[in-house]
Structures are given as C-alpha cells and as structure tokens.
Amino acid sequence: MIISVSRRTDIPAFFGEWFVKRLLQGFAMFRNPMRPTQVFAISLFPEDVDAIVFWTKNPKPFLEKLEYLKDYTYYFQFTLNPYDTDLEPNLPDKNVLIDTFIRLSDIIGPKRVIWRYDPIIITPRMDMIYHLEKFEELCEKLSKFTTKCIISYVDFYKSAVPSLEKIKAVDLSDDEKLELFYNVGQIAKKYGLSVETCAEAVDVEKIGLRKAHCIDGALIEELRGKKYDFKKDKNQRLACGCVQSVDVGIFNTCMHFCAYCYANYNRKAIEKNVKEMFDENSPLLCSRLDLTRDEIRIRIEDKSYPIKLDEILHYRKSENEIFQRSFIDDKDDTQSKLERIISKLKRSIFS
C-alpha cells in the first residue's frame, strides 16, 4: 500500500509530530471525504507500506523527523512557486525555501525530491514572460538538487474562483497552455531537468513532455528494486496518472492559506479545525473518533473490512491478548495484517 501524506493538507509543515506518532503506533485513520462518518484504519508497519509520498510547500519543520523513516521507502513532492504573499501568505521567504530544498536533497538524494512549479497562474502582473524568467531563476538554483519538475496550469475550482478573480487570473486556452508548457520544457532542458505535466488534458506529448505520475509506481519500483502490480488510482481525475494510494490527510486544515488552494474552503473553519480538533495523539488528523456514530473499517490494499462496535467496546487490556475476529476464515497474510491493526487500534482508543 502507498501512503499519500497528503494531497489534502501540508502534514510535513504543520502536523509532522502527529505523523511520526502514527508511525510509532503502527497505524493511522482517516475519514472518507465523501462520507465523513466512515473511518478507515490502515497499517503503517514498514512491512505493510510500499512507499510514502509526502506533499509539501515547507518541509523544514519535518527535516529533524526524517530519522523515523529509515525503514520506509519515501520521496517528497516539494512545491516551490515564484509567488508573493498575496497568493501564498503564510510561507517562509523564498530563499529559506530554496535552502530547505537543497538541504532535503542533500539528506535523501535528488531523485527523491521532486520539484513542483505548480500551479502556474497567468495574470496581468504575472504574464508568460514573468513565469519563464522566474522558472529559469529557480532552475539555476534547484537543478543540481532534483531530477524532475512537475507543472500544471491553475484549475478554477469553485472555492478558489473569488481569489483568482481578484487577481485577474486568466483561464488559458489549450493552445496557450501548450505554448507555455513548451517554453518551460525548453528552459528545463538546458538544466538537465525533465518536465512532466500534472493532470492536464492537453496533448503534451506532441511538444516533447510527459504526463506526470505524481504517485509514481515506476519510481517506487526503482527505489525499492522490486516489481509491483500497481493500479491506476480511479479516485483521481481522468487525466491524473497516479497509481493507487490512500491519503491520511483531511481538508480544511492547511494553514498556508494559498489563494488558489483546492483543499481549503473557509479560513475560519481551518482555524477552528486546527485549534479545537487537532490532537497529536489522535489516530485521526484534526478529528476525533466517535464510537457511537462512526463506521470503522480496516483498509488493506483496495479492500476494507468492517469492525463490529462490540469488538471495540468489549476490549479488555491484556499484554498478551489475542484478538479473535470473524472477518476472514483463513489465517492468511491479510488476516495477520488485520490483527496487527486491530490490536493497535484498540490499545490507542483505550489508552
């Protein structure tokens, strides 16, 4: 199983301690965004995790926690854009982010730090020439510390439209996007960087670019030295090339407050969620388990198995307790994974 950490919020920037505690406990939980009372538990034991993919705009607070990942395969998607505080109001200075990018690459290697110049936003103040100049400036500073840059043009999500209209963002035509992407690709080529486009429907192959696989099965196979039968993630957009993963984040919790964000809808809700709901000891990020309401299921690969409420409520603490369940008849690998997760889950709830 591949763990996404996270498309929904910036865990390395804001919730690194929470994630480390999940690793130490051996499991995490997350709510179904489309059905919030449905909660999934997943194993985070190294033997059950194929890879962890981190998404972040500022991993600096997480660098000191990389030691906890020594038994895992992982890489970072690091977004570094040329925007000021009007679009990215709560990020460190760009020079600090560049230094963090370099430091992270020095620690884990350039192949495991993927640069995202994403999203590209065209406005009267930031036209195509602006972006090409800024992109080249960043290439000069980052190209020795990564091998790949992923780009995309901004999506006009409903939640982001008011902010994008305020800065007079332009919704480019397909031909204009191809012109932009081609020019970006030509600059990157000078610095030995490959460029891929994220979830773009336009035909970028004809201009010499590749469609991105941000959750990248081929990269994970390379890092692990092992072949897998990864499947395309059906829960993502049609143009998305990612393989299947599970995401442990939650929407409306990222405190970067970027104007173009698709994962945040309401600043007051974000501040309330983080202030009132965040508990680094909870298996759920910025949420609490409600045993009277929540439907709890254990997720293993693309299947899930229900936990009966009385199995949790009738739990007795015992160091050597063996938990009997009725999910699966045979004592197979799936069964043993279930047992490990349930043991951790019960101990966490009643500790």
Side-chain angles (χ1 to χ4, degrees), residues 67-273:
E67 61 182 295
Y68 294 100
L69 297 169
K70 63 182 184 300
D71 295 326
Y72 297 86
T73 297
Y74 66 95
Y75 65 91
F76 280 76
Q77 297 270 346
F78 191 142
T79 298
L80 214 169
N81 295 322
Y83 302 134
D84 294 329
T85 54
D86 57 338
L87 289 183
E88 297 177 340
N90 206 21
L91 281 170
D93 180 83
K94 297 302 175 186
N95 289 325
V96 173
L97 292 173
I98 290 167
D99 288 344
T100 300
F101 193 106
I102 293 169
R103 185 178 167 200
L104 178 61
S105 177
D106 285 342
I107 295 170
I108 68 175
K111 191 169 290 186
R112 293 201 285 165
V113 186
I114 295 170
W115 172 28
R116 299 185 71 89
Y117 189 92
D118 167 48
I120 301 173
I121 305 172
I122 297 291
T123 72
R125 185 172 67 84
M126 301 183 298
D127 57 12
M128 189 181 298
I129 293 175
Y130 169 91
H131 275 285
L132 297 179
E133 290 177 348
K134 292 296 183 182
F135 181 74
E136 182 150 17
E137 287 176 13
L138 287 170
C139 280
E140 289 175 352
K141 296 174 181 177
L142 302 179
S143 59
K144 294 180 181 178
F145 305 98
T146 185
T147 61
K148 181 191 300 184
C149 182
I150 293 178
I151 62 174
S152 74
Y153 196 70
V154 66
D155 289 301
F156 283 71
Y157 292 106
K158 184 178 179 180
S159 58
V161 164
S163 297
L164 293 173
E165 288 181 342
K166 187 176 180 180
I167 61 171
K168 299 180 181 179
V170 178
D171 193 2
L172 297 184
S173 69
D174 287 353
D175 287 342
E176 289 170 326
K177 288 180 185 177
L178 285 173
E179 180 185 359
L180 172 63
F181 296 160
Y182 174 78
N183 288 326
V184 168
Q186 292 301 109
I187 292 171
K189 190 181 295 185
K190 292 195 303 183
Y191 293 89
L193 288 176
S194 67
V195 171
E196 298 179 358
T197 59
C198 176
E200 292 288 352
V202 293
D203 184 9
V204 295
E205 284 89 349
K206 69 182 182 182
I207 59 170
L209 304 186
R210 294 178 57 200
K211 291 181 179 289
H213 302 74
C214 303
I215 306 287
D216 190 341
L219 175 58
I220 292 167
E221 289 179 340
E222 181 181 351
L223 293 175
R224 293 184 66 92
K226 180 180 177 181
K227 280 288 185 182
Y228 290 86
D229 184 24
F230 292 127
K231 300 175 183 176
K232 186 183 185 316
D233 195 334
K234 297 178 182 178
N235 294 318
Q236 302 302 321
R237 291 169 287 176
L238 186 62
C240 176
C242 289
V243 298
Q244 190 176 65
S245 66
V246 296
D247 197 300
V248 295
I250 184 171
F251 293 117
N252 268 333
T253 56
C254 183
M255 292 175 288
H256 290 315
F257 302 123
C258 299
Y260 49 80
C261 183
Y262 65 85
N264 286 342
Y265 312 110
N266 184 294
R267 181 162 182 154
K268 288 185 178 179
I270 298 162
E271 292 170 342
K272 181 178 180 181
N273 286 341

Side-chain angles (χ1 to χ4, degrees), residues 296-309:
I296 305 171
R297 303 182 69 90
I298 293 180
R299 174 82 179 263
I300 297 178
E301 301 303 336
D302 55 356
K303 295 181 180 179
S304 65
Y305 306 87
I307 295 180
K308 295 177 182 177
L309 184 59

Side-chain angles (χ1 to χ4, degrees), residues 328-345:
I328 301 172
D329 293 332
D330 298 327
K331 187 82 169 179
D332 59 10
D333 183 55
T334 302
Q335 178 83 348
S336 93
K337 289 181 181 180
L338 286 166
E339 288 179 355
R340 290 201 302 273
I341 301 171
I342 288 178
S343 172
K344 292 287 185 178
L345 172 61

